[in-house]
Amino acid sequence: MTLAIAVGFLAAVGTWLVVRGGAVRLILGFILLGHAANLIIISAGGAFRREAPLVDGQLLAENAADPLPQAFVLTAIVITFGVTVYLLSLVARTAKQSTKVEDESIGRIEGQAEEEGRSS
Amino acid sequence: MNIDVAFLSTWALPLVFLGPLIAAVITFVLGASAVSRLIGLLVPLGVFAVSIALVIATMDGQVVVSQIAGWPGGVAIAFVGDLFSALMLGVSSLLVFTSMVFSYAAGLGIDRWFVPAVLVMTGGVYGAYVTADLFNLFVMVEVALLPSYILMSRRGTLTALRAARLYLIVNLTASTLFLAGLGAVYGVTGTVNMAALAGLGVLPVVGVATGVVVIALSLKAALVPTHSWLPATYPYTSPAVTALFSGLLTKIGVYALVRIISLVYEPGQLVTVIVVIACVASMVIGVLGALGEGTIRGVLTFHMISQVGYILVGVVLAGAVGLAAVVFYLIHHTIVKTSLFLTGGTVEHEEGTGIIKRLGGLARAHPVASLAFLLAALSLTGIPPFSGFWAKLGVLNAAADAGSVLVFAAALIVSVGTLGSMLKLGSGVFWGTPKGMREEEDEETPSDVTVGPETVGATGVAIDVATAVEAPPVTRWRPLLVIPGLALALISLGIGLYPEWLLALSDTAGQSLSEPTAYVTAVLGGGS
């Protein structure tokens, strides 16, 4: 239940942030959405199963935690982390360039050319 | 023929994924040298050789399996080569090779990031074709996407960076959704092994959970209604990169959709109706969008959406017949579309613009490239002696078999639209009034336009700017830019003239997709 509420909350806030627009909100929103997805996977393993799967070489079938979702989530976190870092750098770069470039009217010319091509 | 299946399963299948990654590390260490460019050509050739061996080994419906690390079937992550995977590997590596030749001719090879990024990307794509594990598929897709973000933004112009930002956001959304769907699938079935999921789609919970994955994948495949990101991103990177993306990245989505829908769901489920509607909408909306576009790559990108509809509609129509049509169409489409993107890219590189209004009458000075365009355009439309004819015939056949008037009519009518937009490209770019006759001249000489402050990767752009400024329009185009597109167009013609072998292969592939018992037993059973 706690997990379900947490997933719902994270997904709701994440979606809201993404839809609101703005670079930083967008990135924060995706981080939250990623957390929501990760929690879904964790809950897929069964949140009530918490015991260590192996104790002194003995398999505890009852309530043994499922290690597979945890491995999934670990992988997913690493991937999301990498993509988020790249997205941050891209946003920083487009933000920096858009002011600098428009001063030199470089972006504008190219933007116009593209628009002209699209509308014809 | 004597193909050592044990060798294929122990070495070739894992190497299809690992080889390009190892080569990427080597080329990155070597930097932008002739050796790394050579490696960039040799790797797709090697994969092509493996794929031919795989096709020969699997053409009787056999399935080659590699249980990674020797875990028993069902526990291990399995790499599987069946005929469908083998054919996809073959056609992908072929187009990677031709696109690499084109990219080098266009000057992208100077960028030290280019070859490693392409190699990692292709490694992920090949991996996605052979994996039999849904989570592994997610990882493979990410492996393919990460370098694509780099390739997308390397052009360095502001529009390219903006397009890259949108592209990244869309793919991040799809990946998050994919992940959530995976969680749901694991939650209700306790496995993410595709073979173990076979036929489970009849259970409503599994059907819905897999549906989330299907939605995420259709976003990657740019199926309507999740298509609008594609024309907003693909045309803004370098032409060679667009060609690679169109042949590889959206095709992973299409491939995975074919695999998952045919494996998990049974014919006649609700998902069938939804997919048919989405596909018909894709056909129509894609082709209408193409008619309204004003740039070469804009038209071609909208066509991709339309063609994705054509490809996927067979998945849910008429069982094996429909799936055979899917396989044939997918192969035909990958070849022809790449050919068109490469020929269009040649025009952009040599004439300095892809805006149709500013081009015209190029056929007189450049008959070979125009021929390549003509052949590929006719093939895309579905005119008889080309592969496109057999592909469309397959779809119509499947629609008739399933008694679906809607699909049959849509497939025929949309062909007319395809012809129309190809005529627009043909008469606007290659035939018709030459550019010089028109009033519009290059009032905005783009000499310093594209060379922004941070354009490390803009070498390709710099070169085409240089030629556009110095050269009058009658200069001969660089042959290495023209040949890749022509070669692919000729392959399409060749398939069209001698279609029997490919039709037979796609029939077998369609059979084993519609009745995946061999696939399932190979993946879950002991394996080799």
Side-chain angles (χ1 to χ4, degrees):
Chain A
M1 190 64 187
T2 329
L3 265 178
I5 293 172
V7 168
F9 181 73
L10 284 172
V13 177
T15 312
W16 182 73
L17 282 172
V18 168
V19 175
R20 285 257 343 241
V24 177
R25 270 195 288 270
L26 188 93
I27 294 169
L28 286 176
F30 270 115
I31 293 174
L32 294 186
L33 283 175
H35 288 335
N38 289 340
L39 283 184
I40 290 177
I41 296 183
I42 286 290
S43 68
F48 56 91
R49 294 158 61 180
R50 313 210 155 188
E51 305 301 319
L54 289 171
V55 175
D56 295 334
Q58 271 190 315
L59 188 70
L60 302 175
E62 295 257 331
N63 283 344
D66 188 347
L68 202 54
Q70 304 184 5
F72 287 166
V73 166
L74 214 55
T75 317
I77 288 174
V78 173
I79 292 175
T80 320
F81 174 71
V83 177
T84 310
V85 169
Y86 193 76
L87 183 61
L88 270 172
S89 71
L90 207 58
V91 164
R93 203 163 138 184
T94 39
K96 200 166 60 186
Q97 267 208 348
S98 59
T99 50
K100 202 191 321 178
V101 165
E102 245 135 33
D103 288 344
E104 299 159 20
S105 71
I106 289 171
R108 209 160 44 77
I109 288 180
E110 182 163 317
Q112 276 176 350
E114 308 269 15
E115 264 169 34
E116 191 183 320
R118 312 205 91 222
S119 60
S120 63
Chain B
M1 245 174 280
N2 288 324
I3 294 290
D4 189 352
V5 174
F7 173 79
L8 272 181
S9 66
T10 27
W11 291 103
L13 274 180
L15 261 185
V16 155
F17 168 60
L18 275 180
L21 294 192
I22 296 167
V25 174
I26 296 171
T27 53
F28 189 74
V29 172
L30 288 175
S33 65
V35 182
S36 39
R37 283 196 285 277
L38 183 67
I39 293 175
L41 287 177
L42 289 179
V43 170
L45 279 186
V47 174
F48 189 66
V50 170
S51 76
I52 288 179
L54 260 182
V55 167
I56 294 170
T58 57
M59 61 196 288
D60 52 353
Q62 213 193 329
V63 178
V64 180
V65 182
S66 170
Q67 308 282 10
I68 301 296
W71 292 92
V75 176
I77 292 171
F79 276 9
V80 187
D82 67 346
L83 189 52
F84 184 37
S85 304
L87 288 170
M88 288 308 292
L89 278 180
V91 73
S92 303
S93 51
L94 180 71
L95 87 90
V96 172
F97 179 77
T98 45
S99 300
M100 283 307 251
V101 174
F102 180 90
S103 315
Y104 294 161
L108 289 172
I110 305 167
D111 182 1
R112 75 168 315 209
W113 288 88
F114 180 73
V115 177
V118 171
L119 284 173
V120 174
M121 182 170 88
T122 54
V125 173
Y126 303 144
Y129 289 151
V130 294
T131 186
D133 182 280
L134 269 187
F135 191 80
N136 206 224
L137 177 70
F138 167 76
V139 176
M140 295 299 183
V141 170
E142 293 303 313
V143 168
L145 283 175
L146 276 170
S148 83
Y149 303 146
I150 299 174
L151 288 172
M152 191 90 195
S153 51
R154 279 311 268 177
R155 196 175 185 187
T157 59
L158 187 62
T159 33
L161 285 177
R162 282 191 183 140
R165 202 167 69 180
L166 174 63
Y167 176 73
L168 214 162
I169 291 165
V170 168
N171 277 302
L172 206 51
T173 313
S175 299
T176 311
L177 201 58
F178 195 158
L179 210 53
L182 272 175
V185 170
Y186 188 79
V188 294
T189 64
T191 181
V192 286
N193 189 313
M194 289 197 229
L197 293 173
L200 286 184
V202 284
L203 305 171
V205 273
V206 184
V208 171
T210 317
V212 179
V213 175
V214 167
I215 291 172
L217 286 170
S218 56
L219 185 58
K220 292 199 192 287
L223 192 69
V224 169
T226 52
H227 64 287
S228 52
W229 61 275
L230 190 82
T233 53
Y234 273 26
Y236 299 108
T237 176
S238 329
V241 174
T242 310
L244 273 171
F245 281 14
S246 96
L248 295 175
L249 293 179
T250 46
K251 295 301 167 292
I252 307 182
V254 174
Y255 166 85
L257 280 175
V258 173
R259 185 66 92 190
I260 290 171
I261 293 176
S262 67
L263 204 55
V264 176
Y265 294 103
E266 296 292 324
Q269 281 190 270
L270 179 64
V271 68
T272 320
V273 184
I274 299 173
V275 171
V276 166
I277 292 172
C279 286
V280 172
S282 293
M283 289 181 193
V284 175
I285 291 172
V287 89
L288 290 180
L291 284 171
E293 281 292 303
T295 61
I296 300 177
R297 276 192 282 162
V299 173
L300 293 179
T301 318
F302 260 108
H303 264 295
M304 285 174 63
I305 298 169
S306 175
Q307 302 284 313
V308 166
Y310 271 103
I311 296 170
L312 282 175
V313 78
V315 178
V316 288
L317 285 179
V321 182
L323 285 162
V326 170
V327 176
F328 193 95
Y329 210 114
L330 193 47
I331 292 166
H332 144 76
H333 170 75
T334 310
I335 294 171
V336 167
K337 192 91 243 178
T338 312
S339 166
L340 283 172
F341 269 120
L342 291 181
T343 310
T346 311
V347 175
E348 270 185 64
H349 273 295
E350 298 291 24
E351 299 295 311
T353 179
I355 298 169
I356 298 172
K357 263 207 259 171
R358 300 201 187 149
L359 298 163
L362 295 175
R364 266 172 246 177
H366 313 286
V368 181
S370 309
L371 178 72
F373 171 80
L374 181 70
L375 294 179
L378 289 176
S379 183
L380 188 77
T381 319
I383 305 287
F386 295 96
S387 61
F389 170 70
W390 301 101
K392 284 225 166 115
L393 194 67
V395 172
L396 291 175
N397 195 9
D401 253 32
S404 174
V405 182
L406 175 73
V407 175
F408 196 90
L412 273 184
I413 294 169
V414 169
S415 294
V416 180
T418 313
L419 182 65
S421 51
M422 282 298 126
L423 278 177
K424 176 180 168 179
L425 268 190
S427 62
V429 177
F430 292 101
W431 290 273
T433 339
K435 181 173 60 173
M437 307 274 188
R438 302 198 190 163
E439 291 308 303
E440 275 185 314
E441 265 312 324
D442 315 327
E443 67 275 356
E444 43 198 59
T445 316
S447 55
D448 57 345
V449 169
T450 39
V451 191
E454 290 169 15
T455 46
V456 203
T459 38
V461 183
I463 283 176
D464 68 37
V465 167
T467 44
V469 174
E470 287 161 17
V474 279
T475 351
R476 268 188 59 206
W477 288 350
R478 280 164 281 173
L480 277 180
L481 285 179
V482 180
I483 290 170
L486 182 67
L488 289 174
L490 288 176
I491 290 175
S492 161
L493 179 62
I495 293 176
L497 290 175
Y498 300 99
E500 290 86 1
W501 61 277
L502 192 55
L503 284 172
L505 285 180
S506 22
D507 270 350
T508 318
Q511 280 290 350
S512 45
L513 277 173
S514 80
E515 276 164 32
T517 37
Y519 184 86
V520 172
T521 45
V523 175
L524 295 182
S528 46

